[in-house]
Amino acid sequence: MKIPRIGNITFFALFLSIVVLNTGCSKSSTSTTVANIPLVLTTGVIVNVTATTAQSGGILVSAENGTISASGVCYSSTNKTPTTADSKTIDTLKETGSSYKSFISHLTGLTANTTYYLRAYCTNEAGVGYGSVLTFTTIASATSALVTVSTYAGSGAQGYLDGSLAGSQFNNPEGVAVDASGNVFVSDSFNSLIRDISTTGTVSTIAGDQTIGYHDGAALSAQFYSPNGQAVDAQGNIYVADFGNNVIRKITPAGVVSTYAGTGVAGYRNGAATSDYLKSSSDSLAVFNNPQGVAVDASGNVFVADRGNNVIREIYPTGRTRTVAGNKVKGFINGTAAAAFFNNPTGVAVDSKGNLYVTDQGNSALRKITSAQVVTTLAGNPTQTSLLNLPSAITIDASGNLFIADEGGRIFEYTSAGALNFLAGALNTSGFVNGDGATARFNYPQGIAVDASGNIYVADQYNNCIRKITLTAAPAAAGVIKRKLITK
């Protein structure tokens, strides 16, 4: 039987529609995927905040198959989730040497003493992608504090002399720490001594016999080899990174020096801190390689910037050691635990939540390690040495503000709100000058510590002295006092 004509027409139309649909699907599968909004990160630090200016930026993680038409940061003092409808910058994306592009944003015309909300953005044909929101507060000039640098101890002459602050002499001091009472302890490295600057203004020697060596025992007969970073616990015990001996030493308030961890031989191994903690004949002793920075938390855990091994280590009060982050290989990679890479870490500080902060000197960067061992970069990188230039030491105050010394001759503050501010010195301009922050000059600053009153102490190595940085309040309006931070 013949199929009716209408049926032929219907069948043909149906066949044609299938062909068209299949052809359409085929064309779609081979065409460019429709763009999504870009993936963007806000740079995790606000730099050099003044009364009217600040610096930020962002990273383009992915253009999401689109073409970036604009990038920058948007900000507002009223909108806590600012958009491009608010104030914004328009900045140029630049290659970073990795698969990402980044941009730097300079904010001007801000209002003094005002809190701003800021986030990075990038725009493509699909829309606007935003990073996370950061907050910062501009400086209030009328209620500022002035940064003043002075010489706290030492005459500037290389030597060894106890006595008054101005009459004392040091020989390349590299480490400094402060106890709860305000006593300042100094690793007088080239004298192989540990010195004490009392609150009454007297410099004395508390450990070492001025001979390079490795000997435990009574403090004044003990021997060190280029002692470096220090930390003081709640009981008044001093922990010293004995750089040349590859060990961590402990000095008790009773004046006894012992080896807290390490064997005296350079290497890399976790295990028992000392032979007293060996669990069996097959157990091993921990080994370090040129440890430089030390920190201690409220529970008595001691953290070590194990410079020669490119790792951050932890010594438990139970006498066991572990590696918190890093894997001995030099590099600059964020990640978790052994997946992260460091390059000659020099300093370490710990906050009340168990987060660690590291001056990663070879990478000219400030790194953070969470209590879950996740490593991120807060500021700096190997190609941006004008921001941080070979940072050498770090300390933290009770409010969570970090203070950083870099070998380029500058002192910085990284606030708990995430702002990196220049305090004193000048980049790659050495000298021995006291005065306000912009005028002051250092010569290879190495150690840094802060006391309960917010005074900052710096081991100014090549000037053979300890410097003090104070923040002196100007007349305050509305009872508010903030720091006036010098910009570069």
Side-chain angles (χ1 to χ4, degrees):
M1 181 179 66
K2 286 187 176 181
I3 298 176
R5 186 172 179 77
I6 185 69
N8 283 334
I9 294 173
T10 302
F11 179 81
F12 179 78
L14 178 61
F15 175 79
L16 183 61
S17 67
I18 291 172
V19 171
V20 170
L21 286 172
N22 284 340
T23 303
C25 289
S26 176
K27 284 183 68 177
S28 175
S29 65
T30 58
S31 63
T32 302
T33 304
V34 175
N36 294 314
I37 61 173
L39 296 179
V40 186
L41 295 176
T42 307
T43 301
V45 58
I46 306 293
V47 179
N48 287 336
V49 179
T50 71
T52 59
T53 63
Q55 179 181 316
S56 183
I59 298 172
L60 174 64
V61 178
S62 173
E64 291 293 283
N65 294 307
T67 300
I68 301 299
S69 57
S71 58
V73 298
C74 50
Y75 55 97
S76 171
S77 61
T78 57
N79 185 0
K80 294 185 178 181
T81 54
T83 70
T84 53
D86 296 301
S87 298
K88 67 178 183 290
T89 66
I90 300 176
D91 305 300
T92 302
L93 282 166
K94 296 182 179 180
E95 300 289 344
T96 62
S98 65
S99 58
Y100 304 136
K101 293 182 178 181
S102 66
F103 54 87
I104 296 174
S105 306
H106 296 278
L107 286 66
T108 59
L110 304 177
T111 302
N113 196 28
T114 301
T115 297
Y116 284 89
Y117 306 91
L118 172 149
R119 59 177 172 169
Y121 76 89
C122 285
T123 304
N124 67 6
E125 51 267 47
V128 184
Y130 293 101
S132 57
V133 176
L134 297 181
T135 62
F136 67 96
T137 302
T138 51
I139 301 305
S141 298
T143 62
S144 304
L146 300 178
V147 178
T148 304
V149 179
S150 61
T151 299
Y152 185 60
S155 63
Q158 186 180 84
Y160 170 48
L161 189 64
D162 286 333
S164 66
L165 295 176
S168 61
Q169 292 182 348
F170 298 84
N171 190 350
N172 286 260
E174 294 190 43
V176 63
V178 183
D179 69 10
S181 300
N183 298 293
V184 178
F185 302 100
V186 179
S187 289
D188 192 4
S189 294
F190 284 23
N191 278 326
S192 300
L193 300 172
I194 308 301
R195 315 282 289 278
D196 172 30
I197 308 173
S198 72
T199 55
T200 59
T202 301
V203 178
S204 60
T205 299
I206 62 170
D209 67 357
Q210 211 181 351
T211 302
I212 293 176
Y214 179 27
H215 178 69
D216 289 332
L220 294 179
S221 63
Q223 294 177 345
F224 299 83
Y225 185 4
S226 190
N228 212 290
Q230 295 187 15
V232 185
D233 69 15
Q235 290 72 44
N237 298 298
I238 305 169
Y239 301 89
V240 180
D242 194 354
F243 186 87
N245 283 321
N246 304 296
V247 295
I248 306 303
R249 311 290 286 278
K250 178 181 177 180
I251 307 171
T252 68
V256 177
V257 176
S258 62
T259 298
Y260 192 66
T263 64
V265 177
Y268 175 53
R269 186 173 62 215
N270 287 312
T274 64
S275 58
D276 294 336
Y277 297 99
L278 288 171
K279 294 181 177 180
S280 67
S281 58
S282 60
D283 197 7
S284 299
L285 290 172
V287 183
F288 297 81
N289 187 0
N290 291 149
Q292 184 161 339
V294 183
V296 59
D297 67 14
S299 299
N301 300 294
V302 176
F303 301 93
V304 181
D306 194 3
R307 176 174 179 159
N309 284 322
N310 302 298
V311 297
I312 307 303
R313 313 279 290 277
E314 180 176 7
I315 308 166
Y316 294 109
T318 54
R320 305 297 298 182
T321 65
R322 69 160 181 156
T323 297
V324 179
N327 58 45
K328 198 179 178 182
V329 179
K330 289 183 179 181
F332 183 50
I333 298 176
N334 292 321
T336 301
F341 289 72
F342 297 86
N343 186 354
N344 291 336
T346 53
V348 62
V350 58
D351 69 16
S352 59
K353 298 179 181 178
N355 299 302
L356 300 176
Y357 302 89
V358 179
T359 45
D360 190 7
Q361 186 172 78
N363 287 319
S364 290
L366 172 62
R367 315 287 291 277
K368 178 181 178 180
I369 309 172
T370 69
S371 56
Q373 297 176 260
V374 177
V375 179
T376 56
T377 299
L378 298 179
N381 61 62
T383 63
Q384 194 182 9
T385 56
S386 61
L387 185 60
L388 290 173
N389 185 28
L390 302 175
S392 52
I394 188 169
T395 190
I396 190 168
D397 68 13
S399 299
N401 301 300
L402 300 168
F403 299 93
I404 302 163
D406 80 7
E407 289 182 358
R410 298 171 299 174
I411 309 301
F412 293 91
E413 178 188 34
Y414 182 87
T415 70
S416 56
L420 180 68
N421 292 299
F422 162 81
L423 287 180
L427 176 61
N428 295 329
T429 305
S430 61
F432 188 14
V433 181
N434 290 317
D436 65 77
T439 301
R441 295 291 181 267
F442 300 84
N443 196 349
Y444 214 67
Q446 287 295 301
I448 191 166
V450 60
D451 67 17
S453 299
N455 299 302
I456 304 162
Y457 301 89
V458 178
D460 193 2
Q461 183 178 4
Y462 289 170
N463 282 325
N464 300 296
C465 65
I466 306 303
R467 311 289 288 279
K468 182 178 182 179
I469 303 174
T470 58
L471 305 168
T472 307
V480 179
I481 296 177
K482 292 189 177 182
R483 298 172 184 174
K484 181 179 180 182
L485 303 174
I486 314 300
T487 60
K488 292 294 288 179

